[in-house]
C-alpha cells in the first residue's frame, strides 16, 4: 500500500465502495466470466451473462448503473466554469464501450485496471498496473474495467478547449508525444490512445492524491483558485511523465498514412504561421493545392484558412500575455499586415479586442 495513502487519511474515502458498486460486485462474483469481454451496452451484457451463468441470477431490465454510449462535458462538469474535473471510476461495472466529448486521463492510483480499445473492428485489451495511466482523446470508443479488491482508478477529465489553450506548450515538443497531441486535437478520425507506464512513481501518485483531495474531498474554497490548482496539477503530471517516463509511452490504435502526415503539416504551419500559404504548403508536402485543401478539411473539419487563423491567434495571445510588444507589433509578428484584419479576427476568436484581453490578463496576474 502506498505510504501517502495512509498519511493523508484518504484511503477509506476513496476505497469504500458506493452502493451501486456493491451491487455490481455481487453480480461480478456470481459470474466473473460474463465480465471477460467488453460490450456495447446492458442488453448485450445480459445476453452474455445468461449464456455463462451457473445459477439463476435475476437481472434488471435496465442497467442499475451507468452504461451509456456517450459522455459529454455537461455530464462531468457540474460547475461550468471548471476546466479540469476528477471522478472515481465505477468499479465492478461491466466493461462497455463509450466515447467522450472531452479528454480523459485514467490513472491507476491503487492496483490496476484493464483498458479496451477498438482497432480495425477488433477488441484490444491492455493491462495497466498501479501508477500507470492512459490518455484518451475525444470521440474514441474505449472501455475501462476495474474489479480488484481495494482498487482505486481515477478519471481526470479535461475540456477539449482547455487542453489546446492551457497545455499548448506540450504541442511544441518535436517528438512522437506531441504528434499524438496534435492528432488528438485536430484529427476527426482519431482512434488512438496513449499508454504511459510509470510504475509506482511516488511523486506522480502523490500528485494524483492531491488532485483527489482538491477535486473530490474538498468542496469549499474559491472556484477560481480550485480551477487554477487543478490545471496546475495536470501540467505537473504531464511534466513529470515526460521527464521521467517518456521512453515508456506507447501510442496504440489504428493510424492511417493520412493520419500520420497531419501532425507534421500542422507543425509546419505553426512554425511558419506568419508567412505560410496553401501553395507553399502543397509544394512542401508534394501535393496539389486542391488535394491538400480537401485533406485538411476532411481530417480536421476546418479549412486551411481557419486553421491558420486559429494557430495565429494562439500565438498572439501568448505574446500579449507574456511580452511587452505593442498590439501592432504582435499583429505583424503573427502575419497580419492589416491591423484591422487582426483586430477583427481576434474579436471573432475571443469576443474582445486585443487591448481588452491584455488589460484583463494584467489584472489577473496582479
Amino acid at each position: 500500500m502506498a505510504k501517502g495513502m495512509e498519511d493523508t487519511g484518504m484511503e477509506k474515502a476513496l476505497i469504500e465502495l458506493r452502493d451501486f458498486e456493491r451491487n455490481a460486485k455481487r453480480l461480478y462474483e456470481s459470474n466473473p466470466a460474463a465480465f471477460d469481454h467488453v460490450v456495447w451496452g446492458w442488453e448485450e451484457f445480459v445476453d452474455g451473462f445468461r449464456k455463462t451463468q451457473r445459477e439463476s441470477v435475476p437481472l434488471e431490465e435496465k442497467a442499475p448503473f451507468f452504461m451509456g454510449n456517450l459522455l459529454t462535458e455537461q455530464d462531468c462538469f457540474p460547475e461550468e466554469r471548471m476546466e479540469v474535473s476528477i471522478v472515481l471510476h465505477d468499479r465492478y461495472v461491466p466493461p462497455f464501450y463509450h466515447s467522450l466529448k472531452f479528454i480523459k486521463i485514467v490513472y491507476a492510483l491503487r492496483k490496476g485496471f484493464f483498458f479496451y480499445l477498438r482497432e480495425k473492428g477488433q477488441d484490444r485489451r491492455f493491462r495497466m498496473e498501479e501508477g500507470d495511466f492512459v490518455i484518451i482523446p475525444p470521440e474514441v470508443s474505449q472501455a475501462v474495467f476495474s474489479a480488484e479488491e481495494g482498487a482505486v482508478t481515477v478519471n481526470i477529465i479535461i475540456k477539449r478547449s482547455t487542453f489546446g489553450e492551457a497545455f499548448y506548450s506540450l504541442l511544441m515538443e518535436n517528438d512522437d508525444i506531441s504528434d499524438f497531441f496534435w492528432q488528438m486535437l485536430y484529427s476527426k478520425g482519431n482512434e488512438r490512445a496513449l499508454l504511459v507506464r510509470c510504475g509506482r512513481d511516488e511523486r506522480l501518485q502523490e500528485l494524483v492524491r492531491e488532485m483527489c483531495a482538491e477535486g473530490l474531498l474538498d468542496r469549499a474554497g474559491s472556484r477560481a483558485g480550485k480551477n487554477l490548482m487543478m490545471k496546475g496539477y495536470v501540467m505537473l503530471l504531464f511534466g513529470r511523465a515526460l521527464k521521467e517516463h517518456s521512453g515508456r509511452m506507447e501510442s496504440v490504435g489504428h493510424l492511417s498514412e493520412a493520419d500520420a502526415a497531419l501532425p507534421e503539416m500542422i507543425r509546419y504551419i505553426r512554425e511558419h504561421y506568419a508567412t505560410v500559404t496553401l501553395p507553399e504548403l502543397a509544394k512542401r508536402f508534394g501535393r496539389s493545392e486542391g488535394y491538400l485543401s480537401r485533406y485538411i478539411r476532411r481530417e480536421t473539419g476546418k479549412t486551411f484558412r481557419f486553421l491558420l487563423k486559429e494557430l495565429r491567434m494562439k500565438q498572439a495571445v501568448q505574446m500579449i500575455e507574456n511580452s511587452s510588444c505593442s498590439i501592432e507589433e504582435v499583429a505583424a509578428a503573427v502575419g497580419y499586415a492589416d491591423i484591422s484584419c487582426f483586430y477583427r479576427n481576434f474579436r471573432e476568436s475571443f469576443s474582445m479586442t486585443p487591448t481588452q484581453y491584455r488589460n484583463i490578463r494584467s489584472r489577473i496576474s496582479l
Side-chain angles (χ1 to χ4, degrees), residues 23 28 71 84 88-89 121 132 143 170 172 208 215 226 282 314 328 340:
N23 293 334
Y28 172 77
L71 276 170
V84 175
L88 286 179
H89 176 72
D132 296 342
L170 291 171
M172 297 301 103
V208 177
K226 184 185 293 289
K314 287 183 183 296
E328 289 74 15
S340 63

Side-chain angles (χ1 to χ4, degrees), residues 24-40:
K25 182 181 179 181
R26 285 191 288 269
L27 200 61
Y28 172 77
E29 291 176 338
S30 70
N31 186 8
F35 292 72
D36 286 344
H37 304 285
V38 65
V39 297
W40 287 94

Side-chain angles (χ1 to χ4, degrees), residues 59-117:
L59 295 171
E60 299 181 35
E61 184 177 341
K62 294 184 178 180
F65 25 68
F66 178 81
M67 287 185 68
N69 295 126
L70 177 67
L71 276 170
T72 67
E73 290 185 352
Q74 289 73 23
D75 295 321
C76 297
F77 289 91
E79 297 181 21
E80 186 177 346
R81 293 177 61 185
M82 291 296 291
E83 298 168 274
V84 175
S85 180
I86 190 161
V87 181
L88 286 179
H89 176 72
D90 299 341
R91 292 158 290 187
Y92 295 101
V93 171
F96 64 98
Y97 278 126
H98 57 288
S99 61
L100 318 164
K101 289 295 185 182
F102 45 77
I103 296 158
K104 180 169 75 169
I105 301 171
V106 187
Y107 185 90
L109 183 58
R110 194 174 189 273
K111 302 190 177 180
F113 62 84
F114 286 105
F115 172 66
Y116 294 84
L117 184 72

Side-chain angles (χ1 to χ4, degrees), residues 292-357:
L292 201 61
S293 179
R294 292 189 298 272
Y295 169 79
I296 292 173
R297 183 66 177 263
R298 183 180 70 246
E299 293 300 312
T300 70
K302 303 172 183 178
T303 64
F304 168 78
R305 181 176 293 182
F306 186 92
L307 186 61
L308 178 60
K309 184 185 82 169
E310 187 176 75
L311 292 171
R312 283 176 168 177
M313 290 300 105
K314 287 183 183 296
Q315 182 61 26
V317 297
Q318 292 286 318
M319 293 184 68
I320 290 171
E321 289 183 18
N322 302 308
S323 79
S324 59
C325 293
S326 69
I327 301 302
E328 289 74 15
E329 288 172 330
V330 171
V334 299
Y336 287 91
D338 183 349
I339 189 67
S340 63
C341 181
F342 174 72
Y343 268 83
R344 182 172 62 254
N345 286 342
F346 195 96
R347 184 182 286 277
E348 288 174 357
S349 299
F350 302 104
S351 300
M352 65 181 75
T353 68
T355 303
Q356 290 170 331
Y357 186 94

Side-chain angles (χ1 to χ4, degrees), residues 2 26 50 61 76 87 94 116 118 120 151 208 252 266 270 273 279:
R26 285 191 288 269
R50 286 173 175 161
E61 184 177 341
C76 297
V87 181
Y116 294 84
R118 292 286 286 178
K120 296 182 179 179
V208 177
V252 297
I266 294 176
R270 164 62 184 84
Y273 56 79

